[in-house]
Amino acid sequence: MGIGMTNDEQWIKTTCPRDCYDGCGIIVHKRNGEIFKVKGNRDHPSTRGPLCAKCAVSYNGVWLDENARLLYPLKRSGNKGAGEFERITWDEALTEIAQRFADIDRRYGADRIYQTHYTGTCSVIAGNFPKRFFDHIGATEVNPDTVCNAAGHAALSYVFGNSVTGFDPRTVRDSECILIWGANPSHCGPHVHKHWLREHGAKVIVIDPVRTDTAVSADLHLQVRPGADAALAFAMLHVIRREALVDENYIRDHVQGYEEVLPSIECCTPEWGKAVTDIPVTLIEQAARLYARGPSLLWLGQGLQRQPRGGNVFRACAMLPALTGNIGKPGAGFYYLNDTIGIGGRGGGAPGYEKPRFNDGPAPVSQMDIPGLLQDPAAIRSYVVWNCNPLASNPNQALMRQGLAREELFTVVIDCFMTDTADYADIVLPAASFLEFDDVCASYFHLMIGAQVQCRKPMGESLPNQEIFRRLARVMGLQESTLYEDDRSIIERTLRASGVRETWQELTEQGWAHVADEPLILWAEGRFATPSGKIEIASERAEADGLPRLPQATVDAEPADGKLRLISPAAEWLMNSSFGNDRRVIKMMGPATVICHPETASGLGIGDGDRVRLSNELGELALTVCVSDMITPGALLVYKSRWPKMEKSRANVNVLCIARKTDMGESTSVHATEVTVSRID
């Protein structure tokens, strides 16, 4: 089972389940029954060598450290937030949870139990099984994508009818151009940045307000002003139209709404584009030509739609492949996320793997509503947190903290570590790590399935997520058989649904498998899951939902006088908030900084190394200045996801971020936060 062995040495192949484009293969080296080293699988087609630095450090650090891990169920013994707990048994913990849930159901309704989760693990079973339990009892889900990427999903669903069927990365061998818009593989897919982007002859274009390492290594970097992305898309389309690079045949057969949007495109000259985006005309023209001539791949990053009109931005960018015919042929396509299991099972159609659901239940709520809802005892009586750390990752951090401190709020946290959110829990349950149970991982970039293989027994009394909820269902006397489905049945069903031919045994020996032997050309049939069956630039569904019928060439207004726009992208050393408690990672990150352009710094009278205070109506944060032209003038950059409890200020950048919803999807517009800056003498 993926094991090489000598008398006292073992090498086990497994897969990294982190929220990352890479989907890396891992080799776990054991000596005398103990894990000696966790390292990259050099034979894995994505990894091809060492793990990225953050995983290499943390997987050999806090993830193997019994002093850092949660080992036993805990019950709060002090004030909320104080982090004071006493050890209890699993029976005691589950009995109390069951009794409290039953009481809430009887007195208020089960919909007053809110469950929140995200990508603490992206493995199939541990990342999805708990939803069966919550759906069954009728709890309210906090929509996880609303803290990340829901606007993009909503927008692409209007245009293509599907937001999770992108391109097969292997088709890059036929590409002439790769356009990466609002994604930073150097931080969020280091092996994609290191290998995939360099294994072809395609020209690489990066559009991003930040000069990331991926942007530095690209052939072209268009450093767009934050909030002007839709306008840039229209300006590029003007060039494409002007130079007769549109694909008239593809538009006739597969696109709806081109004639309607054409007048707007005609108005958006590259000269107008330069005025509103700060991109030189020559660069707009060069990027437009390179992309349109193709075959080209378009990668729309999740950071791109985290702005007030992020959905409109995606609808505008989606016109690029539609109007140039860069879709459905070798070397072409668009990508946001890949539902690899669905793509493998259906050959590029709608997602084929449906997670079990028992009833319609209450409508999910947005993460943007949670800071306010947590203040209201009539709205939320219990808050169950698994696979995430919302006190670190949600906006309006001070209000989140205030809500979590409510004495009558019954909070349960399931995690491998004592997170900021866990400090406010009434019951803490220890989760097993990815090294401690079998599961399946499906990359959301590469069309590959990976075996997550148990390498050691769970630390202490920790349990996999799915086993925790099986036991809780049993204590509550629930009868639905799907609540007790065993891991091996789910694994085998998942492998069948994904289309891979390998059995679990074969998958563990290889470590990974593509869902198809040759690169898949997605959308080749030219049929889309929209009402018309075409790409809908003009969308009646969007119109019916109160949105514009067509994409708009919008530009966000400049910040109010004296304020600057603050963006907070992913950090190099963190994976969302994962790894934020590893001491070596903390040392490598150094103190928290705010990065500002030399022109901006000069206007503020601040210099490199100065201490400044960022402030707005929500709070303030003291940071060290780093002056660099890696960010555009008039904007500031502070990397997200540090653990507040590890900072002297007990806060991270989310203490400043407003829970403002995007134009569609009720998602986060965190990259439109505005702050003032004052020097700390």
Side-chain angles (χ1 to χ4, degrees):
M1 291 185 56
I3 298 176
M5 185 180 300
T6 65
N7 289 337
D8 57 358
E9 307 266 352
Q10 288 178 286
W11 292 266
I12 304 174
K13 294 178 181 177
T14 186
T15 304
C16 179
R18 301 275 77 78
D19 184 9
C20 170
Y21 294 101
D22 287 343
C24 279
I26 290 175
I27 298 290
V28 176
H29 182 188
K30 298 182 70 174
R31 284 183 177 172
N32 300 316
E34 299 294 328
I35 294 178
F36 172 70
K37 186 75 172 179
V38 180
K39 57 186 180 180
N41 181 353
R42 295 183 178 275
D43 296 326
H44 190 276
S46 171
T47 316
R48 308 186 197 179
L51 292 173
C52 67
K54 54 193 164 192
C55 286
V57 168
S58 296
Y59 289 164
N60 292 286
V62 289
W63 289 86
L64 300 181
D65 184 357
E66 290 194 353
N67 294 316
R69 287 278 303 278
L70 285 167
L71 302 178
Y72 311 104
L74 302 172
K75 182 175 182 178
R76 178 169 63 91
S77 59
N79 294 328
K80 288 199 171 188
E84 297 173 359
F85 294 87
E86 61 184 12
R87 178 178 171 181
I88 57 175
T89 66
W90 272 105
D91 285 345
E92 291 170 327
L94 296 177
T95 298
E96 177 157 348
I97 293 169
Q99 291 174 346
R100 294 292 294 270
F101 282 1
D103 181 61
I104 291 169
D105 186 19
R106 183 177 65 256
R107 297 175 63 188
Y108 307 99
D111 61 337
R112 298 302 191 267
I113 301 169
Y114 279 56
Q115 59 108 354
T116 187
H117 61 101
Y118 204 42
T119 53
T121 176
C122 290
S123 61
V124 169
I125 307 175
N128 293 297
F129 192 95
K131 275 191 90 277
R132 302 183 183 200
F133 171 86
F134 290 111
D135 288 346
H136 184 71
I137 68 171
T140 298
E141 180 183 27
V142 185
N143 183 344
D145 288 336
T146 55
V147 80
C148 182
N149 56 20
H153 285 305
L156 295 181
S157 294
Y158 287 131
V159 180
F160 299 107
N162 185 332
S163 61
V164 291
T165 300
F167 56 67
D168 187 336
R170 292 176 294 174
T171 196
V172 73
R173 67 191 187 189
D174 297 307
S175 300
E176 295 294 330
C177 175
I178 301 170
L179 172 53
I180 301 176
W181 202 324
N184 179 14
S186 64
H187 284 186
C188 301
H191 293 88
V192 170
H193 167 78
K194 182 178 180 181
H195 302 304
W196 182 78
L197 276 175
R198 291 166 170 76
E199 67 184 9
H200 51 75
K203 296 290 186 181
V204 177
I205 305 168
V206 170
I207 301 176
D208 201 304
V210 183
R211 196 179 70 250
T212 64
D213 287 345
T214 299
V216 169
S217 65
D219 296 282
L220 287 180
H221 176 208
L222 279 60
Q223 197 168 15
V224 63
R225 183 171 69 81
D229 299 278
L232 178 57
F234 272 83
M236 291 174 64
L237 287 162
H238 179 98
V239 175
I240 292 167
R241 164 72 176 175
R242 183 188 71 193
E243 302 193 6
L245 294 172
V246 295
D247 188 332
E248 299 284 358
N249 292 331
Y250 191 85
I251 292 169
R252 182 191 64 240
D253 295 338
H254 301 297
V255 179
Q256 174 180 287
Y258 175 52
E259 295 298 330
E260 288 186 57
V261 79
L262 188 54
S264 296
I265 293 173
E266 297 281 10
C267 293
C268 297
T269 66
E271 290 75 20
W272 169 83
K274 177 185 183 300
V276 297
T277 67
D278 296 335
I279 305 296
V281 169
T282 54
L283 276 183
I284 295 174
E285 293 175 334
Q286 191 177 356
R289 293 184 192 116
L290 278 173
Y291 177 79
R293 287 170 180 159
S296 297
L297 300 174
L298 173 62
W299 176 348
L300 298 177
Q302 298 175 55
L304 176 60
Q305 47 83 75
R306 293 175 191 154
Q307 44 189 321
R309 287 180 282 202
N312 178 67
V313 169
F314 262 49
R315 289 180 71 191
C317 293
M319 290 193 292
L320 287 164
L323 301 187
T324 61
N326 270 303
I327 184 171
K329 61 185 181 183
F334 72 93
Y335 165 78
Y336 186 39
L337 290 175
N338 277 331
D339 171 21
T340 293
I341 295 171
I343 290 170
R346 299 284 184 90
Y353 177 69
E354 297 294 337
K355 294 181 279 292
R357 187 168 179 83
F358 300 103
N359 54 57
D360 292 334
V365 301
S366 171
Q367 291 278 10
M368 301 304 99
D369 292 322
I370 288 301
L373 287 172
L374 281 173
Q375 315 305 310
D376 184 4
I380 303 181
R381 301 300 304 185
S382 179
Y383 189 55
V384 186
V385 180
W386 57 282
N387 277 11
C388 63
N389 182 10
L391 193 51
S393 59
N394 276 32
N396 207 337
Q397 193 169 85
L399 200 61
M400 285 290 299
R401 194 181 297 274
Q402 181 177 311
L404 289 171
R406 274 175 43 206
E407 187 61 34
E408 78 283 359
L409 178 70
F410 179 59
T411 300
V412 178
V413 172
I414 302 167
D415 211 292
C416 296
F417 304 102
M418 183 59 75
T419 64
D420 296 272
T421 310
D423 284 341
Y424 285 83
D426 295 283
I427 300 289
V428 177
L429 301 179
S433 85
F434 77 102
L435 297 170
E436 297 162 0
F437 60 95
D438 289 342
D439 207 330
V440 177
C441 297
S443 169
Y444 57 70
F445 184 71
H446 303 285
L447 297 183
M448 292 192 302
I449 303 295
Q452 179 185 297
V453 178
Q454 183 176 15
C455 302
R456 56 156 296 159
K457 293 180 179 179
M459 280 194 187
E461 295 179 4
S462 63
L463 295 171
N465 288 351
Q466 58 270 26
E467 181 58 24
I468 292 172
F469 283 95
R470 289 188 192 108
R471 294 189 182 191
L472 180 56
R474 190 169 292 110
V475 171
M476 293 180 67
L478 304 181
Q479 299 300 310
E480 170 58 50
S481 61
T482 320
L483 297 174
Y484 304 99
E485 185 178 7
D486 64 275
D487 289 2
R488 190 51 53 85
S489 295
I490 301 173
I491 288 172
E492 291 174 354
R493 184 160 50 81
T494 301
L495 294 183
R496 289 195 300 271
S498 72
V500 301
R501 295 191 302 271
E502 286 79 0
T503 64
W504 174 246
Q505 175 71 29
E506 291 167 335
L507 189 66
T508 59
E509 291 171 358
Q510 170 73 11
W512 55 274
H514 286 289
V515 298
D517 292 336
E518 293 297 321
L520 293 172
I521 308 303
L522 305 179
W523 305 109
E525 74 289 348
R527 295 190 302 273
F528 298 87
T530 57
S532 67
K534 296 184 175 184
I535 299 172
E536 295 190 352
I537 292 174
S539 172
E540 293 181 1
R541 289 187 300 151
E543 194 172 35
D545 290 339
L547 297 164
R549 177 178 172 83
L550 297 167
Q552 307 292 304
T554 55
V555 179
D556 289 355
E558 294 280 357
D561 288 346
K563 290 191 174 182
L564 297 169
R565 186 158 177 159
L566 172 66
I567 64 173
S568 49
E572 178 182 10
W573 280 95
L574 299 176
M575 187 76 66
N576 299 325
S577 66
S578 293
F579 311 151
N581 61 328
D582 188 289
R583 294 293 177 182
R584 287 179 63 197
V585 166
I586 293 169
K587 181 179 180 181
M588 295 304 296
M589 286 194 298
T593 61
V594 54
I595 300 170
C596 65
H597 191 275
E599 180 183 312
T600 307
S602 176
L604 293 169
I606 58 176
D608 207 53
D610 284 350
R611 293 285 289 171
V612 295
R613 182 177 292 107
L614 274 56
S615 308
N616 61 15
E617 62 269 36
L618 295 186
E620 60 182 41
L621 190 65
L623 298 164
T624 300
V625 174
C626 175
V627 178
S628 170
D629 62 0
M630 69 180 294
I631 184 66
T632 55
L636 303 171
L637 185 155
V638 178
Y639 289 114
K640 68 174 184 175
S641 297
R642 287 172 176 259
W643 283 29
K645 68 194 294 182
M646 299 296 180
E647 303 295 306
K648 290 181 180 179
S649 62
R650 308 289 290 180
N652 66 19
V653 69
N654 276 322
V655 78
L656 301 167
C657 292
I658 298 169
R660 176 182 177 183
K661 294 179 182 178
T662 50
D663 53 348
M664 55 189 75
E666 296 194 329
S667 197
T668 177
S669 56
V670 65
H671 291 332
T673 297
E674 295 181 6
V675 296
T676 58
V677 181
S678 58
R679 182 172 177 171
I680 300 173
D681 293 326

